[in-house]
Amino acid sequence: HGHQIVAQADERQLLSGEHFSVDGTLIQAWAGHKSFVPKDRKDGDEGDGSDFRNQQRSNETHESRTDGDARLYRKGKTASELRFMGHTLTDNRHGLVVNAMVTQADGHAEREAAKVMINDVRQARTDETTLTLGADKGYDAQEFIEALQEMNVLPHVAQNISGRKSAVPDAVAASEGYAISQQKRKRIEQGFGWAKTVGHIRQVLVRGLQKVDQMFVLTMAAYNLTRLRTLGQVRLQGAQ
């Protein structure tokens, strides 16, 4: 069970419990372009959706017949695909995953999921220790930075200053802790890399948000187990 693995890591003092990183990754749904048809289409309608290249299709007007929770989404230079979005919160000490969840794919999902996951950590603590959260510049949005500050979480978010002013206070960005968080947050990619190569999360073989979420959380728990094994070996070698 995921929580037991995290508790075990905590007992072994492998978690900082204060310094975290967050990121999201795209998960390809088990549904193809041809399944993405107009919402108002009657079951008896002819056509298999194969003429989609000539249509303007959006999540407002169309949905997948194969997986109704999947959403057409593109990011950066990637092509538009039917996708979900997976999110993880890692502890910075050793990059262990302390929270994971899947949402529908949209532009706000990463920040919304991050707020939920770091709030879970905040609620689980009995003290008011200031936490830190590292994230890439996609999380540099005023409402997100303010939400973190309300939770007593220092926004160690990479500043997005391309043609705009960052929402991350310069005093925070100039701190030593911020520099460490920027370095540590890149470790989160190792979990995503493992999940996509070993854990088969690149394209899931289950359908529906709930099942995809279960699959993702289970995969991240398995990743933690491999990390714990590696850390155990490191600790043993150090003890010789």
Side-chain angles (χ1 to χ4, degrees):
H1 194 271
H3 292 298
Q4 288 170 327
I5 298 165
V6 172
Q8 187 188 339
D10 198 23
E11 279 168 25
R12 288 167 59 182
Q13 297 181 321
L14 296 172
L15 302 176
S16 71
E18 295 175 22
H19 307 295
F20 302 91
S21 298
V22 70
D23 203 2
T25 193
L26 294 173
I27 298 169
Q28 207 172 325
W30 194 18
H33 275 288
K34 287 184 181 180
S35 76
F36 200 60
V37 295
K39 289 181 181 181
D40 57 6
R41 192 170 110 165
K42 305 286 183 290
D43 284 341
D45 283 4
E46 288 302 311
D48 61 357
S50 57
D51 58 344
F52 66 80
R53 280 185 180 81
N54 307 323
Q55 303 172 1
Q56 275 291 3
R57 303 180 313 150
S58 78
N59 291 310
E60 281 68 46
T61 59
H62 289 57
E63 67 186 346
S64 168
R65 283 181 305 178
T66 314
D67 188 338
D69 289 338
R71 292 291 177 269
L72 198 64
Y73 186 76
R74 62 174 300 186
K75 188 174 185 180
K77 292 174 183 167
T78 64
S80 221
E81 299 279 359
L82 284 162
R83 291 173 161 143
F84 289 94
M85 204 175 257
H87 314 267
T88 59
L89 183 75
T90 56
D91 185 279
N92 284 359
R93 183 167 290 169
H94 289 294
L96 289 164
V97 177
V98 293
N99 209 332
M101 64 186 291
V102 170
T103 65
Q104 290 182 330
D106 72 56
H108 304 287
E110 285 188 306
R111 296 193 295 269
E112 291 307 310
K115 284 191 276 192
V116 168
M117 294 191 297
I118 197 69
N119 189 51
D120 280 356
V121 171
R122 166 53 75 212
Q123 297 302 320
R125 292 191 68 107
T126 50
D127 61 7
E128 275 301 305
T129 305
T130 301
L131 308 177
T132 70
L133 184 64
D136 67 35
K137 56 190 179 186
Y139 293 80
D140 183 359
Q142 192 70 41
E143 60 84 25
F144 181 68
I145 303 304
E146 284 172 4
L148 290 186
Q149 289 168 325
E150 279 173 29
M151 285 186 249
N152 195 19
V153 177
L154 277 173
H156 284 182
V157 176
Q159 288 187 307
N160 181 2
I161 48 172
S162 52
R164 65 193 283 276
K165 190 180 184 315
S166 170
V168 180
D170 290 335
V172 172
S175 67
E176 190 183 349
Y178 179 89
I180 295 167
S181 289
Q182 288 307 305
Q183 205 179 351
K184 297 267 193 182
R185 74 176 171 80
K186 289 164 187 160
R187 278 188 184 165
I188 208 163
E189 291 296 337
Q190 292 173 3
F192 290 150
W194 188 91
K196 289 187 177 186
T197 52
V198 184
H200 304 300
I201 280 293
R202 190 183 304 278
Q203 181 175 24
V204 282
L205 296 177
V206 292
R207 294 180 175 134
L209 185 62
Q210 195 178 354
K211 284 184 181 166
V212 176
D213 180 74
Q214 287 169 348
M215 189 85 196
F216 186 72
V217 171
L218 191 65
T219 303
M220 287 304 168
Y223 170 70
N224 274 352
L225 285 173
T226 66
R227 290 284 300 134
L228 285 174
R229 189 181 61 202
T230 307
L231 292 167
Q233 286 167 355
V234 169
R235 305 272 307 256
L236 285 172
Q237 286 165 1
Q240 285 171 359

